[in-house]
Every structure is written in structure tokens, then in C-alpha cells.
Amino acid sequence: MNAKNLIAPVAALAIAAAVLLGASALLRPMAEEREAAAHGEIMGYMLPTRPAAFTEEPYDGEDESIRRVFKAEGGYVVEVEAAGYAGPMVLWVGVTSEGRVSGVTVRDHRETFGLGRGAQTDASFLLQFLGTAGEAAVGDDIDALTGATVTSKAVTRAVNSAAAFVTGADISSGATEWEG
């Protein structure tokens, strides 16, 4: 094949790549802005005051499961990671200023389809955590998802960690330790 015949396709590919890179660079800030707005909207539903604005606060405490803390009027949304059955689970937990859980959402997980995955979609499971204050326990006041005890305990640990952060419970109190 002649080298002259390759120049046009290679140039077209280079121009297309440059256009795609330029478009990506221009659109990235808008995508990040939309994602931040969506996160703010979700977090707003996690607290009874429905705050419009959250500020991220630094967290340097002992509880390694707490990843990020967002403060707003009326409470906090705490991003927590817990070890589920099939890997890490990331949750957002809304906790009022008084230390009561007001919302729970599973943001990311790799749990088993049909079993642990219900932690993200089973409203009756998640509703059990509302009003708790860091003392929830599977088998006592929390009914585990059928066939997903490890996942249920992971969610419970995450919720308890978030509530313990807001209430100031000592990590050595067992509020954030795994119970089995």
C-alpha cells in the first residue's frame, strides 16, 4: 500500500480525536456541575429540613469507614463505606443534628443479585433505620434481608457509624464495630 493513501485516513482520525478531546474538555465542567447538583438534590432529601446547600467538612476521626461528611442546616449527610458480602458498599446516611437517622441510601455496591442487592432497593429494609441513633442491631431491631445477613450487617454498621459521628459516640463504645 502506498504511503500517500494512508495520509488522508490518518489525518481524519487525528482531527476526529482532537475534536473529541476538545469537546470532552469543554463539557467536563458542565457534567461535574450537573453531578454536584444531583448529589445536592439527593442529599436534600436525606434530612427533614430539606436543606438546599451542603458544605463538606474535613473528617479526621478514628472511624475508618467514614469517607466524607457534609453539613447542612438541621444535620449531616455522612458518606460511609462498609465491607459487604461481595465487596465494599458505599452509603449516604442522613443524620439530624439531634443524632437521629433521617435517611439512608446505598450509593454503590457489588452485592449478589436477588439477595444483597435488595439493600439498595428494599424500602422496608431501609426504613427500619429511620429514627435510630447508632444502636441498631440485626436480629434485635433490624430484620435482615432474606439470605443476605452479611449485607444487612454491613448496612447496619455503616448507619451506626454515621449516627455515632454526629452524636460523638466513642468508637470504642462498640457503636461502629462489626457484630459478627
Side-chain angles (χ1 to χ4, degrees):
M1 188 159 198
N2 191 342
K4 288 184 181 181
N5 292 341
L6 291 175
I7 292 175
V10 169
L13 286 173
I15 291 170
V19 168
L20 289 174
L21 286 173
S24 174
L26 287 172
L27 296 175
R28 182 169 297 137
M30 287 190 301
E32 289 171 355
E33 199 174 297
R34 285 184 184 180
E35 184 177 353
H39 284 174
E41 187 175 345
I42 293 167
M43 284 192 269
Y45 287 110
M46 307 273 310
L47 295 171
T49 56
R50 302 286 186 255
F54 287 84
T55 56
E56 186 169 357
E57 294 199 340
Y59 177 74
D60 57 1
E62 295 179 30
D63 191 339
E64 294 178 5
S65 66
I66 295 178
R67 294 172 45 167
R68 297 165 70 187
V69 175
F70 300 92
K71 183 172 179 27
E73 178 186 342
Y76 298 83
V77 172
V78 183
E79 183 176 273
V80 188
E81 182 176 315
Y85 177 76
M89 298 180 70
V90 177
L91 292 86
W92 281 355
V93 182
V95 184
T96 65
S97 298
E98 295 78 35
R100 294 285 176 194
V101 174
S102 58
V104 179
T105 186
V106 178
R107 299 290 299 160
D108 188 31
H109 67 88
R110 289 166 183 74
E111 299 304 278
T112 309
F113 183 78
L115 297 171
R117 211 164 264 201
Q120 186 174 29
T121 58
D122 189 331
S124 62
F125 172 71
L126 295 173
L127 287 172
Q128 297 177 93
F129 295 100
L130 298 183
T132 62
E135 76 289 345
V138 172
D140 291 340
D141 44 3
I142 302 297
D143 292 329
L145 291 165
T146 302
T149 305
V150 173
T151 301
S152 301
K153 288 184 176 184
V155 171
T156 303
R157 284 191 313 276
V159 170
N160 287 343
S161 288
F165 163 76
V166 175
T167 61
D170 184 3
I171 192 167
S172 63
S173 69
T176 58
E177 293 176 5
W178 188 36
E179 306 158 3

